[in-house]
Amino acid sequence: MAIATSHMNAESSYPRSTMRQSNHSSSRPLCGICREISLDQMGVSDDRKMQRHQPTYLALKQSMDHGCVLCRFIWHALGQSNSREGDRGSDALAHVSEKYPGREISLVAWPGVTPTGYLDRIQIITSGEIPDADTDDEDGDDGPADPSMHPDHQFALSGVLDIFAYAGMKVSNDDFAFATQCLQKCLSNHAGCGRRDEIPRLPTRVLDLGPFDGSRVPYLLHTAGRQGQYSALSHCWGGHVPITTTSDNIEEHTKAISNLPPTFRDAARISRRLGIRYLWIDSLCILQDSKEDWEKESAMMGEIYKHSVLTIAARAARNARDGCFITRHRDVPACRLEYRSPDNQLVGSIYVRDPTFEIERLTQTPLDSRGWVLQEKLLSPRILYYGAQQLYWECRQTSIRQDGKYHYIQQDAVQPAMWKERMDIFAPYQSVYPNFNRIPPDWTEAKHELAARMRQWYNLVAEYSGRQLSFHTDKLPAIAGIAKEWAKSVDLFYIAGLWREDILAGLLWYGRKTAMNPPASSTLPSWSWARYSGKVSFWAARDSTFGFSDYSCEFVDLSFRASGALGNYGDVVGAKLELRGRILPVRHATRISLGKNFIVGPNIFGYGGEQIGVATFDVPPSTFDALFVLLVHAGVGNVGYGAYYAAGLLISPVPTEQGTFMRVGYVNMEKGHGEGWWETRSAADYFEHIPTRTLFLI
């Protein structure tokens, strides 16, 4: 039996931080029942054995009132449960009394969804015989179905407790000890993250922080190609940065920068304490009033983060004024339980956290919602995050939370290690999708790898497109570093956010809303997801479709002109796709779809009345006089294992150019997605009589 372990539990020692109480107090009072808790009696995984706890909710409450901290945690967990009808567990507990003492409580240990299978939770289950109600009394006036429960609250309460242990690293009260130990362990032991003896070339400009005692004011250094270890700062601009480098003040900055805002000043302090002399900050190391310098340096942004020894991420800071050392909320001390293995070979402690503690939501922090940060996150070999509650370490080999949890079960869906496995562009493809096996048996290893990588790209873009950018002109530059690095593993040609060799699958993207926001770019082609703001998803993300030969459309040629220093990885002008395919004139009407998804939306019909599919428009449909559907993929067998539903593009002709169209939407032609009769006939069948033709998409 293995328990989820912590590498370290560290506390802040900064003057501006509020010290958290100890997370591993051994003096917390327990009742006799809680002192007898045994993970072995609870059972693990599929065994589903239950250890009985308190006989009723009332007994639990009385034990809590007498000071048992674990009974209080269980009470809090039960209060957070909800029934399908929306009844709250806290309301049910409020009616607990001698008359309504409630049900029996049992505990089950469970490894949950952790890929290691380590125990990370205790499930709280309420059980007991529940008499049937009098079915002859429609109003149920004869009393509750369970006499131990209040009539208005008959649903079974449940809950979950996080459990974890400390192992392998010394517990410290210093954030710097946590950071130092994580960095040293990574540099010494993680071959895949880059070694200490790899001395990179410094970026064009860096901040020279001077001696590690802070005796010299930082200044901007022109590196002239010299080598050295450096850190990089990942931060939110927050609409305004108090200090930047421009053509007017660059000479002054090369002498000294004495008025650094808190986030920059804290990053300098962290870098010094970790023994890193040079620090790269975008707003200070790139001339902010020079388009030429910005284009040149932004083209190298991916390389800058890739070759840094460490990225310092101000996760909780809204802007440069907030700083890295955010004042932390006081945590309720965890409850310690003794643990002894059945053979007495392993003796130690496990810890339980109060479930009411409000966990920092990593998907909603100021930094994690920003578009540029995804590139910094994926390309940096190692990142030290300064959050609102704790520190987080992330490198290519491991992810560590300062409090020791793998992930928080109830409030936080982010699972760092699994996220890295799915998104890490440097990881072997087998670890990107370890269960990726929906492939034809005759595929080569190389084709299998390419299929997995393509699926990775479509999921990566879906993640990126939902993030925020201050300037839409950054849409392609902010992901260019990822695309450049990713291209090294696939040897494909990149254009406008898609890949030429898989362009047909790449065209099948759709917005998360019926119509996306107005086009934010007038130069990018209509078929590029980067033309619009807003989150997109891809037809091909269900599984990769690279290499399938049954596309109903054929890619012929591609032409474009690059418009900046990023070349084909940045904005392009005049991009045009030449395709051969079948197009069907259609009309749209909002109608309730009677299929399995019960969609109310713009359905697409042929002029003979046949329903073609359900549309997701890129822009409001009223702006187009004529609409056609281009069938891109006719579907493969039944939707499910190794198969794909039919899908196409909504296109509208360009009046001034014969045979030229603009993409205006996406059409889902899945069987059963529309009217009932559609279950037995594919919408793609309506294209069979239409001859293929050459067309252009701009």
Side-chain angles (χ1 to χ4, degrees):
M1 179 185 302
I3 303 169
T5 59
S6 164
H7 293 263
M8 194 172 204
N9 179 48
E11 312 298 339
S12 174
S13 63
Y14 303 127
R16 289 190 285 116
S17 297
T18 299
M19 290 289 293
R20 289 175 291 172
Q21 297 179 25
S22 171
N23 270 359
H24 51 283
S25 171
S26 60
S27 60
R28 314 228 59 202
L30 297 176
C31 66
I33 292 177
C34 287
R35 284 196 298 269
E36 296 299 320
I37 283 178
S38 167
L39 295 181
D40 297 304
Q41 291 185 34
M42 292 183 200
V44 180
S45 189
D46 295 333
D47 294 340
R48 306 300 288 177
K49 293 187 298 182
M50 295 186 292
Q51 180 177 12
R52 291 184 176 181
H53 193 257
Q54 296 288 358
T56 63
Y57 301 162
L58 179 61
L60 180 70
K61 183 177 185 301
Q62 291 171 339
S63 178
M64 173 184 70
D65 292 342
H66 280 89
C68 179
V69 64
L70 186 55
C71 284
R72 187 170 80 245
F73 288 0
I74 294 174
W75 181 272
H76 290 165
L78 294 177
Q80 292 176 341
S81 65
N82 291 280
S83 72
R84 293 181 180 180
E85 291 74 27
D87 294 324
R88 298 181 302 177
S90 57
D91 292 336
L93 294 179
H95 289 84
V96 168
S97 64
E98 293 288 346
K99 182 178 181 180
Y100 302 114
R103 298 174 179 139
E104 183 180 46
I105 299 166
S106 299
L107 306 177
V108 178
W110 191 42
V113 295
T114 56
T116 58
Y118 292 156
L119 295 178
D120 70 348
R121 71 195 72 185
I122 294 175
Q123 295 286 144
I124 306 166
I125 299 171
T126 58
S127 57
E129 293 296 327
I130 304 175
D132 292 331
D134 184 357
T135 55
D136 294 331
D137 189 342
E138 295 181 359
D139 297 328
D141 292 333
D142 61 314
D146 181 353
S148 73
M149 298 289 290
H150 189 276
D152 295 335
H153 302 282
Q154 288 290 308
F155 73 100
L157 303 184
S158 62
V160 63
L161 295 173
D162 290 351
I163 61 174
F164 56 97
Y166 298 105
M169 293 175 74
K170 181 182 177 183
V171 176
S172 170
N173 289 326
D174 189 350
D175 280 351
F176 280 124
F178 173 80
T180 300
Q181 199 163 3
C182 288
L183 179 60
Q184 290 177 347
K185 185 175 182 180
C186 179
L187 290 172
S188 300
N189 302 335
H190 297 174
C193 298
R195 305 300 290 258
R196 180 185 293 275
D197 54 4
E198 296 175 352
I199 309 299
R201 183 175 178 174
L202 290 170
T204 304
R205 307 177 191 95
V206 293
L207 293 185
D208 188 335
L209 305 178
F212 298 133
D213 61 4
S215 58
R216 176 168 180 175
V217 176
Y219 69 95
L220 191 64
L221 172 68
H222 293 282
T223 62
R226 74 177 69 178
Q227 293 178 305
Q229 300 277 12
Y230 66 95
S231 59
L233 176 64
S234 176
H235 69 107
C236 286
W237 282 47
H240 173 70
V241 176
I243 180 172
T244 62
T245 296
T246 65
S247 303
D248 293 333
N249 64 14
I250 186 171
E251 184 175 350
E252 176 186 347
H253 282 184
T254 58
K255 299 175 183 177
I257 308 177
S258 58
N259 56 338
L260 290 175
T263 301
F264 297 0
R265 187 170 63 245
D266 291 348
R269 180 185 175 188
I270 295 164
S271 191
R272 280 198 193 106
R273 285 287 298 270
L274 295 175
I276 307 170
R277 177 166 181 166
Y278 303 111
L279 172 64
W280 186 88
I281 301 177
D282 52 3
S283 59
L284 292 178
C285 297
I286 301 176
L287 294 178
Q288 298 301 310
D289 62 344
S290 170
K291 184 175 183 293
E292 179 182 358
D293 192 69
W294 189 90
E295 288 186 348
K296 172 177 170 291
E297 294 300 314
S298 65
M300 297 298 297
M301 198 92 74
E303 293 294 311
I304 290 172
Y305 282 98
K306 177 184 175 183
H307 294 294
S308 66
V309 67
L310 176 70
T311 293
I312 299 165
R315 172 166 260 166
R318 297 162 299 176
N319 51 51
R321 298 186 182 92
D322 283 351
C324 296
F325 310 144
I326 302 295
T327 300
R328 295 174 176 174
H329 299 292
R330 190 174 295 272
D331 190 354
V332 177
C335 175
R336 183 174 69 86
L337 301 175
E338 296 294 337
Y339 171 75
R340 185 181 298 273
S341 63
D343 57 6
N344 292 322
Q345 295 298 309
L346 180 61
V347 178
S349 302
I350 61 174
Y351 298 86
V352 183
R353 182 192 295 279
D354 186 345
T356 63
F357 179 68
E358 185 62 31
I359 302 302
E360 183 174 18
R361 296 177 181 268
L362 301 187
T363 56
Q364 299 174 13
T365 69
L367 190 68
D368 290 275
S369 63
R370 305 303 299 176
W372 278 99
V373 172
L374 183 65
Q375 177 168 272
E376 298 159 10
K377 181 180 179 74
L378 287 177
L379 298 182
S380 299
R382 51 194 71 83
I383 309 175
L384 178 63
Y385 293 96
Y386 280 78
Q389 295 176 346
Q390 61 179 304
L391 270 63
Y392 307 80
W393 173 268
E394 189 173 83
C395 62
R396 292 173 186 162
Q397 189 163 321
T398 189
S399 298
I400 306 170
R401 295 175 187 246
Q402 192 178 5
D403 66 358
K405 289 300 297 176
Y406 174 75
H407 71 287
Y408 293 117
I409 297 164
Q410 290 181 308
Q411 295 128 310
D412 188 1
V414 174
Q415 300 173 13
M418 295 181 69
W419 192 94
K420 288 289 286 184
E421 288 173 3
R422 185 166 56 92
M423 293 292 187
D424 188 0
I425 61 178
F426 299 101
Y429 82 91
Q430 295 94 337
S431 67
V432 173
Y433 289 105
N435 298 320
F436 182 79
N437 54 12
R438 300 180 178 185
I439 57 173
D442 58 341
W443 275 22
T444 64
E445 184 77 7
K447 197 167 187 178
H448 184 189
E449 177 175 2
L450 198 51
R453 290 295 182 194
M454 291 310 305
R455 183 183 177 191
Q456 181 187 35
W457 175 260
Y458 295 127
N459 280 308
L460 191 151
V461 170
E463 164 73 21
Y464 169 73
S465 63
R467 293 174 174 240
Q468 302 170 15
L469 290 167
S470 298
F471 307 99
H472 185 81
T473 52
D474 291 348
K475 191 83 175 224
L476 288 175
I479 201 175
I482 299 175
K484 286 181 179 180
E485 200 63 42
W486 193 85
K488 296 176 183 178
S489 64
V490 295
D491 193 27
L492 305 181
F493 185 81
Y494 183 81
I495 171 68
L498 301 174
W499 301 88
R500 179 178 59 192
E501 290 79 358
D502 200 34
I503 197 71
L504 295 178
L507 292 175
L508 296 174
W509 54 266
Y510 49 93
R512 299 300 295 269
K513 298 183 293 186
T514 301
M516 298 187 68
N517 299 321
S521 170
S522 59
T523 58
L524 288 175
S526 65
W527 42 266
S528 170
W529 57 268
R531 178 181 173 90
Y532 301 92
S533 58
K535 186 173 179 61
V536 299
S537 297
F538 285 83
W539 169 83
R542 293 175 62 159
D543 260 327
S544 177
T545 57
F546 188 93
F548 281 127
S549 59
D550 70 330
Y551 281 108
S552 300
C553 186
E554 177 188 358
F555 166 71
V556 179
D557 199 9
L558 166 68
S559 61
F560 70 95
R561 300 192 311 277
S563 62
L566 285 169
N568 59 297
Y569 288 93
D571 290 333
V572 296
V573 177
K576 178 182 289 188
L577 280 177
E578 182 180 352
L579 305 172
R580 283 195 62 81
R582 297 177 171 87
I583 64 173
L584 178 71
V586 295
R587 58 186 177 84
H588 69 91
T590 299
R591 178 182 296 182
I592 296 177
S593 179
L594 301 179
K596 59 184 178 183
N597 293 320
F598 297 98
I599 290 177
V600 177
N603 289 8
I604 301 300
F605 299 89
Y607 277 89
E610 65 277 17
Q611 182 173 350
I612 305 302
V614 178
T616 303
F617 281 91
D618 304 337
V619 293
S622 58
T623 57
F624 303 100
D625 295 330
L627 285 176
F628 295 82
V629 170
L630 168 65
L631 180 65
V632 178
H633 199 280
V636 183
N638 295 319
V639 177
Y641 185 83
Y644 301 87
Y645 56 81
L649 298 183
L650 272 175
I651 58 177
S652 184
V654 178
T656 57
E657 299 183 43
Q658 183 69 27
T660 301
F661 297 81
M662 293 185 66
R663 175 197 151 121
V664 298
Y666 165 85
V667 184
N668 179 348
M669 294 185 278
E670 180 179 0
K671 279 188 177 183
H673 200 74
E675 305 295 342
W677 52 263
W678 196 9
E679 295 284 352
T680 58
R681 184 175 187 183
S682 171
D685 295 343
Y686 295 111
F687 291 82
E688 289 182 348
H689 69 282
I690 301 175
T692 60
R693 55 171 291 184
T694 298
L695 65 149
F696 298 91
L697 283 184
I698 61 173

